[in-house]
Amino acid sequence: MDGAFENFKEQVRSAADIVEVISSYVPLKKRGQNFWGCCPFHGEKTPSFAVNPGKNMFYCFGCHEGGDIFKFIMKIEGCGFMDAMKLLAGRYGIPVPEKQRTAAEIEQEKQRERIYQTNGTAAKFFQACLLKTAYGQSALAYLAGRGITKEIIDSFSIGYAVNSFGALVTSLGKRGYGAQELEAAGLAAKGKSGFYDKFRNRVMIPIKDPKGRIVGFGGRVLDNSTPKYLNTSETAWFNKRRLLFGMDIAYKAIRSSRQAIIVEGYMDAISLHAAGIGNVVASMGTAFAQEQAALLKRMADETVFCYDSDSAGRRASVRAVSIAREAGLKVRIAGVPEGKDPDEFVRHHGKEAFMQVIAAAQEGVDFQIEETILQGDVTNLAGKVDVVSNILPFLLECKSEIEAAEHIRRLAQRLTIDEGLIAEEYRKAAKKGGAKNEPVNVRLPQRKQANAGQQAEELLLAVLLEQPLLAYECLETVGRTGFSTPQLAQIFDKLCELQAKDAFTVDKLNDALEDAAQSALAGIRTRQIPSGDANKLLADYLRQLQRSYWEREYEKHRLLADEYERSSDERFMDELVETQRIKDEIKKLYGNYK
């Protein structure tokens, strides 16, 4: 990052009053050093959301979300870091430094803005045709038949393209938009006799980016002719992978509920909004993308996919689960009964019935497993082996060994296969494929002293935040023991990196961390460090880290020994010897163990 950017960021950070900003979104009351309110990121009645102006941070003791003022704006507004900075800069009258742009970049930006203007004017023309002309009566009747009210038409800026080859080109031409501009926007095409309207005799549905700018259109026929939908071709400003239809309307409901319902098409989303279900967006087809998952992660914790119940929709749901889970979202799959799509179901059965479908949605990995079983042949051993092989990639995506173990247990029951055999195949696949967690034993439970161990880790890091020079004294022990979570490990690593450059500040550390680690850092900063000599405290916490490490190792090898013994594996004795060695080590260092 260049100096101008860093200066701008620090200027905004210094000017922004975190209490003033957050209180414009959340009612806060002062109690002690903190200001308290109900968390805007999860539903609660008793305030557990704290804002500390001295440390310039917020932290929720309920959902453990936390960070600085930039993180809050990103979460509450569903925007990226740069947009959060610009929003705060505008609030405090701080000019945004302009990046030096090339002539080509300036021209491209002008073209993009002109496209937005063209699309906006076209949308007004289409809506006028729908609401104010006789031509639009058939389209209005069609929409009314699908439960689409005038209010929903206004919310989504729905319009109608008349059955004419030149109505839009002529009308926008009179308003100063050339035919070539309409062609660039995807609204017109060039034929032998000149330019003509691309959309004719269709209900026109504007597609907007999260800022509400119209980037394209979807046109739906009023009858059974084909193609049913005609969409704007993809361009630099209209990329389906980076858009979710309805996000400009749904983001507040998604942010409030922390849940997004994802459907396939425009009309599914519009019908659900018309029924009073506000946290719905459409992926505009069945190809859910990583960019869309990242967009949702900014404002939601859970996604519920409600694609069509046909084979294509189910296959797409299987793929979507993996993509959403990779982004850190919880995932469930809702199956619409009777093979109906969401639009048809909600129109026939109403909001409450549809919300019951959402409430009964299946956990994502369970859906992947069940769908894979249904597509296979589990009437014989060879078929079961193939099914397990196809399910293993989904198990390897699990975030913890405990989660994978539970799925393996249920899969073994479903296929009437020995659980240990599936677990062994899972370990082989993890080792071969280099799974992120590289699990050794899928039956590993949470250790009894996990809370005490993590508390020591967090207090250790709290001491280092106050005295970062002491980090050097921890390197050897931490290098051997590690931390219990990747977030705490990242905090330690980044702290050491900054300290090595003699550049450590808490703000710089926070800026260097990923989202989850920022929340963990905020939680650490809420801890009260016991009074006493910092070096002695450090030694005590390092000692606890070592003990927790040895106890983890003991549990891992003990459970492996148990599993090998059950399966008559000769490695049983090796693991038994290792558990005794670790037990002796713990006893030597800390006294009697178990």
Side-chain angles (χ1 to χ4, degrees):
M1 294 183 185
D2 58 38
F5 176 85
E6 283 295 327
N7 290 337
F8 172 60
K9 181 175 68 175
E10 293 310 315
Q11 187 181 2
V12 173
R13 196 198 304 271
S14 298
D17 183 326
I18 193 168
V19 173
E20 179 188 57
V21 171
I22 293 181
S23 63
S24 66
Y25 295 91
V26 182
L28 298 174
K29 290 185 178 181
K30 192 174 191 305
R31 194 168 74 240
Q33 294 181 336
N34 295 327
F35 289 77
W36 294 83
C38 289
C39 180
F41 305 123
H42 81 287
E44 63 176 10
K45 295 181 180 178
T46 303
S48 63
F49 179 83
V51 180
N52 188 310
K55 295 180 178 180
N56 200 29
M57 56 165 272
F58 72 93
Y59 185 72
C60 176
F61 290 86
C63 69
H64 308 295
E65 188 68 69
D68 63 4
I69 185 64
F70 299 124
K71 172 82 171 290
F72 180 84
I73 292 297
M74 290 168 66
K75 295 289 290 185
I76 201 77
E77 292 290 347
C79 64
F81 183 74
M82 281 302 301
D83 285 336
M85 276 207 306
K86 289 178 181 178
L87 189 151
L88 287 168
R91 182 177 185 129
Y92 289 95
I94 300 171
V96 179
E98 286 293 328
K99 170 190 166 188
Q100 285 294 105
R101 295 183 296 169
T102 65
E105 288 175 330
I106 293 171
E107 183 57 35
Q108 186 179 44
E109 181 62 26
K110 287 182 179 178
Q111 182 188 20
R112 186 187 298 267
E113 288 299 323
R114 187 61 173 174
I115 292 292
Y116 295 148
Q117 293 171 11
T118 303
N119 283 335
T121 305
K124 292 177 182 177
F125 173 77
F126 291 138
Q127 193 162 43
C129 290
L130 175 69
L131 299 174
K132 298 179 180 179
T133 72
Y135 300 112
Q137 293 302 308
S138 58
L140 274 175
Y142 166 82
L143 292 169
R146 302 191 70 143
I148 308 303
T149 64
K150 175 66 165 57
E151 182 182 5
I152 294 296
I153 288 173
D154 289 341
S155 294
F156 286 90
S157 306
I158 298 171
Y160 172 66
V162 300
N163 194 15
S164 164
F165 278 89
L168 182 69
V169 171
T170 301
S171 179
L172 264 64
K174 294 176 180 178
R175 291 170 170 80
Y177 295 93
Q180 290 85 356
E181 290 180 312
L182 270 66
E183 182 183 32
L187 292 165
K190 189 174 184 180
K192 293 180 180 179
S193 302
F195 289 94
Y196 61 90
D197 294 357
K198 184 176 178 180
F199 296 95
R200 301 180 302 280
N201 194 28
R202 290 176 181 268
V203 170
M204 295 300 292
I205 304 167
I207 302 165
K208 302 176 184 179
D209 66 12
K211 294 181 179 180
R213 298 175 301 196
I214 298 175
V215 294
F217 290 88
R220 194 198 190 286
V221 295
L222 303 179
D223 51 28
N224 294 322
S225 59
T226 57
K228 180 188 290 187
Y229 282 98
L230 184 63
N231 298 312
T232 300
S233 301
E234 293 212 0
T235 62
W237 50 86
F238 178 53
N239 185 326
K240 285 185 180 181
R241 295 178 62 87
R242 295 186 172 89
L243 295 166
L244 284 163
F245 174 74
M247 179 59 81
D248 59 305
I249 295 173
Y251 81 96
K252 288 184 179 178
I254 292 173
R255 189 178 67 198
S256 174
S257 65
R258 305 302 297 168
Q259 179 196 71
I261 299 171
I262 306 171
V263 294
E264 285 183 34
Y266 314 120
M267 293 308 301
D268 288 324
I270 292 170
S271 290
L272 291 174
H273 277 272
I277 305 168
N279 59 328
V280 182
V281 291
S283 56
M284 297 183 289
T286 56
F288 186 70
Q290 291 176 330
E291 293 87 344
Q292 292 169 324
L295 179 62
L296 287 169
K297 178 58 181 170
R298 294 176 185 171
M299 60 194 77
D301 301 317
E302 179 186 65
T303 56
V304 182
F305 287 92
C306 192
Y307 284 172
D308 292 354
S309 298
D310 58 14
S311 58
R314 296 181 71 83
R315 286 195 304 271
S317 295
V318 169
R319 293 191 299 270
V321 170
S322 295
I323 292 169
R325 280 170 58 84
E326 178 64 24
L329 291 158
K330 296 176 184 177
V331 189
R332 292 189 296 134
I333 304 295
V336 180
E338 306 168 22
K340 292 183 171 66
D341 58 29
D343 168 33
E344 185 181 5
F345 183 86
V346 79
R347 284 190 286 115
H348 284 86
H349 300 284
K351 175 182 177 180
E352 295 305 319
F354 182 81
M355 293 311 296
Q356 289 176 12
V357 171
I358 296 300
Q362 189 176 15
E363 193 276 332
V365 178
D366 284 342
F367 174 84
Q368 290 178 313
I369 290 172
E370 188 63 28
E371 190 65 18
T372 305
I373 291 172
L374 291 174
Q375 297 303 318
D377 179 6
V378 294
T379 60
N380 57 69
L381 180 59
K384 290 180 180 180
V385 170
D386 286 341
V387 165
V388 170
S389 178
N390 291 332
I391 287 172
L392 284 176
F394 305 136
L395 300 179
L396 293 173
E397 293 169 355
C398 291
K399 299 299 183 183
S400 73
E401 297 180 2
I402 298 169
E403 181 187 359
E406 179 60 21
H407 288 302
I408 287 172
R409 183 186 66 78
R410 293 204 294 266
L411 177 61
Q413 292 175 346
R414 180 77 166 76
L415 298 180
T416 61
I417 295 178
D418 183 79
E419 183 180 340
L421 295 176
I422 300 178
E424 181 62 26
E425 290 301 310
Y426 171 79
R427 284 193 295 274
K428 288 178 183 176
K431 185 175 181 181
K432 181 179 179 181
K436 292 182 179 179
N437 296 323
E438 296 189 355
V440 177
N441 176 19
V442 300
R443 297 176 61 83
L444 180 65
Q446 286 187 314
R447 58 193 188 281
K448 292 179 181 178
Q449 295 190 8
N451 289 337
Q454 185 166 329
Q455 180 177 343
E457 293 172 356
E458 293 184 359
L459 285 168
L460 169 72
L461 292 169
V463 171
L464 297 183
L465 293 178
E466 300 291 334
Q467 299 193 45
L469 280 171
L470 294 177
Y472 298 116
E473 299 180 22
C474 306
L475 289 172
E476 183 179 350
T477 300
V478 171
R480 182 171 60 254
T481 66
F483 285 89
S484 60
T485 73
Q487 291 80 27
L488 298 181
Q490 187 186 44
I491 291 170
F492 180 78
D493 291 342
K494 294 298 183 183
L495 186 152
C496 291
E497 285 179 20
L498 289 167
Q499 185 57 35
K501 299 175 184 176
D502 196 25
F504 173 81
T505 66
V506 174
D507 285 339
K508 287 181 179 178
L509 173 61
N510 182 80
D511 291 347
L513 299 175
E514 295 175 359
D515 182 86
Q518 287 183 350
S519 293
L521 176 64
I524 290 167
R525 295 180 70 195
T526 67
R527 286 196 171 275
Q528 294 293 320
I529 303 172
S531 58
D533 180 72
N535 287 285
K536 184 178 183 306
L537 288 173
L538 205 66
D540 289 342
Y541 299 145
L542 288 172
R543 182 179 173 84
Q544 180 61 54
L545 257 67
Q546 292 180 80
R547 176 164 187 153
S548 297
Y549 166 75
W550 284 117
E551 289 175 355
R552 291 198 303 270
E553 288 295 295
Y554 176 84
E555 285 296 297
K556 180 174 73 177
H557 290 286
R558 181 184 68 78
L559 289 166
L560 271 175
D562 289 346
E563 188 167 328
Y564 288 149
E565 183 179 23
R566 284 195 301 271
S567 57
S568 301
D569 192 311
E570 62 184 18
R571 289 175 288 181
F572 157 67
M573 285 304 300
D574 293 337
E575 293 300 329
L576 202 61
V577 169
E578 182 64 10
T579 56
Q580 187 59 50
R581 185 191 72 78
I582 294 171
K583 189 173 181 179
D584 291 343
E585 186 72 22
I586 295 174
K587 185 176 180 180
K588 181 174 67 176
L589 292 171
Y590 306 104
N592 289 332
Y593 179 65
K594 298 187 179 179

